[in-house]
Amino acid sequence: AQSVTQLGSHVSVSEGALVLLRCNYSSSVPPYLFWYVQYPNQGLQLLLKYTSAATLVKGINGFEAEFKKSETSFHLTKPSAHMSDAAEYFCAVSEGGGGNKLTFGTGTQLKVEL
Amino acid sequence: GAGVSQSPSNKVTEKGKDVELRCDPISGHTALYWYRQSLGQGLEFLIYFQGNSAPDKSGLPSDRFSAERTGGSVSTLTIQRTQQEDSAVYLCASSVGASSYNSPLHFGNGTRLTVT
């Protein structure tokens, strides 16, 4: 069975600072991994995905994530935070076989301060 | 184009009542998913429909929960005899196909259910 652990339910950064949101996964098969973002009162929107190609994945809004098999991690980063990045971020892993039945982490609320 | 539409956006019901939540997927999307988002618990998979195949109901928490998808399009999630622990945001998502490699999930804005 797959699982995802997101360390830190709340992260606060200053505008212009580095954003680092942590995600570790557990999977018995090579995983497909995802980061989704949820703005207030909206559904989830795909930021980026890892599907066994390049280990460094670039997504929308300047975010990127690096798949590290040895650390079973898929941390999300952005070099410079913007106020508009304030949202909740979810890491997810696909059920074996690359299906769309995803197991999500508990989410990290990102706050960006002036 | 139109995204995934869910109705109602908010629903308040009394404990013990039945509720129906509706999801209109993106036209042409063959796969449809229901997730439940509870405070501090992330998203929990409930049920998955793919084309004409039998649905994957492995995430439904009890037999009070059921869902159907009529005509391969609109889906209704029904919760019978609602309990306070059913209070959550219910999210629907659809995708062109079943593969996460090339058909990402598109989520609706959810239905916030409050059971009093």
Side-chain angles (χ1 to χ4, degrees):
Chain A
Q2 292 71 232
S3 67
V4 167
T5 301
Q6 290 184 242
L7 294 176
S9 58
H10 292 81
V11 170
S12 183
V13 301
S14 299
E15 190 173 36
L18 171 72
V19 175
L20 171 61
L21 305 182
R22 299 178 185 275
C23 173
N24 288 88
Y25 70 90
S26 172
S27 177
S28 57
V29 298
Y32 284 7
L33 293 159
F34 307 81
W35 275 99
Y36 281 83
V37 61
Q38 185 179 32
Y39 298 101
N41 299 315
Q42 295 187 23
L44 279 71
Q45 178 184 1
L46 180 66
L47 267 181
L48 49 79
K49 63 181 180 182
Y50 167 75
T51 56
S52 74
T55 56
L56 182 62
V57 181
K58 295 187 183 298
I60 62 172
N61 301 338
F63 284 93
E64 62 182 37
E66 185 172 10
F67 173 71
K68 292 187 177 180
K69 184 178 179 180
S70 61
E71 299 177 8
T72 60
S73 70
F74 190 58
H75 301 331
L76 181 71
T77 60
K78 182 174 180 178
S80 177
H82 191 272
M83 296 296 289
S84 60
D85 295 326
E88 189 157 22
Y89 292 80
F90 292 91
C91 183
V93 62
S94 171
E95 188 178 73
N100 255 331
K101 180 180 171 184
L102 304 183
T103 298
F104 286 85
T106 52
T108 297
Q109 186 71 45
L110 175 66
K111 182 178 180 181
V112 182
E113 299 174 319
L114 287 172
Chain B
V4 176
S5 178
Q6 292 188 245
S7 60
S9 55
N10 282 283
K11 176 71 176 179
V12 180
T13 191
E14 292 180 354
K15 178 181 173 181
K17 300 281 190 183
D18 297 353
V19 294
E20 287 188 350
L21 312 180
R22 177 186 170 102
C23 173
D24 281 275
I26 293 173
S27 178
H29 281 197
T30 62
L32 186 148
Y33 306 76
W34 284 97
Y35 284 85
R36 179 168 68 175
Q37 184 176 20
S38 303
L39 192 62
Q41 295 189 23
L43 277 77
E44 173 190 12
F45 166 78
L46 296 177
I47 188 168
Y48 156 49
F49 297 89
Q50 171 58 43
N52 295 321
S53 302
D56 177 349
K57 304 179 182 180
S58 60
L60 295 178
S62 77
D63 59 8
R64 295 186 297 105
F65 288 72
S66 64
E68 63 177 21
R69 188 178 185 192
T70 54
S73 181
V74 172
S75 177
T76 302
L77 177 69
T78 301
I79 309 173
Q80 296 179 308
R81 306 180 302 281
T82 52
Q83 304 294 313
Q84 288 185 330
E85 62 262 29
D86 299 334
S87 296
V89 176
Y90 290 81
L91 291 167
C92 177
S94 69
S95 60
V96 171
S99 168
S100 57
Y101 178 78
N102 56 8
S103 53
L105 293 175
H106 295 260
F107 282 85
N109 289 346
T111 293
R112 180 176 298 277
L113 175 66
T114 303
V115 182
T116 61

